[in-house]
């Protein structure tokens, strides 16, 4: 939770810097940024135990974007996403992803509706915790558990739409399918996520 709070604080801090830079620049037409929550579905197996992961995932994060033209934006984003694992292991097992990177997207404003499509390039870390027997509620050391961390390169295509509630506030929904590439190839579990958030724009 402390790590999540720190990442959110960093995103908000840099969003402020981006906004201040945009206001002073003649080459930047605007800026936008905000926080999002997401949910999705992850599936697949790349662990040595043959454990097939099939689980919903939940997370939080945010983005900040500079509007360099009437149709092009660039910036950065970062997220945490955790999928609980319920099959073949004990309660408390999970697969967690953290990733961040530079984004670029194309957008078109049609009145209050702003559809967009883009991609984020960056990297992150996968953390897998598998507890094959034991109890997460006690303080007893678990003899049959595995913790594994794996860095990855991320390619994250996305598509979405914003709705302008007012001059500065927009509601946003987007969907993505992240391709996490590690030393062994394409990382699994993988699957779609849907994001919901509030975006502040100027």
């Amino acid at each position: 939770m402390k790590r999540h709070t720190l990442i959110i604080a960093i995103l908000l801090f840099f969003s402020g810097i981006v906004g201040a830079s945009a206001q002073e620049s003649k080459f930047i037409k605007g800026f936008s940024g905000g926080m999002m929550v997401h949910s999705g579905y992850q599936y697949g197996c790349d662990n040595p135990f043959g454990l097939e992961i099939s689980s919903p995932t939940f997370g939080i994060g945010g983005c900040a974007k500079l509007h360099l033209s009437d149709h092009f934006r660039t910036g950065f984003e970062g997220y945490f996403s955790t999928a609980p694992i319920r099959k073949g292991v004990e309660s408390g097992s999970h697969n967690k992803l953290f990733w961040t990177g530079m984004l670029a997207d194309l957008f078109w404003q049609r009145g209050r509706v702003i559809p967009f499509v883009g991609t984020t390039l960056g990297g992150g870390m996968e953390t897998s915790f598998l507890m094959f027997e034991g109890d997460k509620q006690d303080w007893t050391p678990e003899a049959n558990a595995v913790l594994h961390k794996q860095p990855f390169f991320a390619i994250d295509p996305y598509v979405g739409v914003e709705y302008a509630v007012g001059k500065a506030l927009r509601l946003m929904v987007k969907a993505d399918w992240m391709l996490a590439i590690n030393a062994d190839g394409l990382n699994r579990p993988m699957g779609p996520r849907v994001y919901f958030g509030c975006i502040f724009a100027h």
Side-chain angles (χ1 to χ4, degrees), residues 5-20:
T5 303
L6 177 62
I7 294 297
I8 292 171
I10 291 173
L11 285 169
L12 291 174
F13 174 73
F14 280 106
S15 295
I17 293 178
V18 168

Side-chain angles (χ1 to χ4, degrees), residues 18 22-23 27-32 65-69 201-202:
V18 168
Q23 288 177 327
F27 304 101
I28 298 173
K29 293 184 174 294
F31 65 91
S32 59
K65 303 179 183 181
L66 292 175
H67 302 201
L68 302 184
S69 76
H202 177 78

Side-chain angles (χ1 to χ4, degrees), residues 8 21-22 32 56 93 104 118 125 129 143 152 156 158 161 174 183 193:
I8 292 171
S21 300
S32 59
S93 299
M125 180 71 69
F129 176 69
F152 60 83
D156 189 22
Y158 58 83
V161 62
K174 78 168 187 175
R193 294 180 179 85

Side-chain angles (χ1 to χ4, degrees), residues 15 19 22-23 29-34 63-67 73 107 109 114 162-171 198-202:
S15 295
Q23 288 177 327
K29 293 184 174 294
F31 65 91
S32 59
C63 68
K65 303 179 183 181
L66 292 175
H67 302 201
R73 305 180 294 196
F107 69 98
Q109 185 154 2
I114 309 163
E162 298 172 4
Y163 179 79
V165 177
K167 186 176 181 180
L169 178 63
R170 301 174 180 176
L171 301 180
C198 292
I199 301 298
F200 298 94
H202 177 78

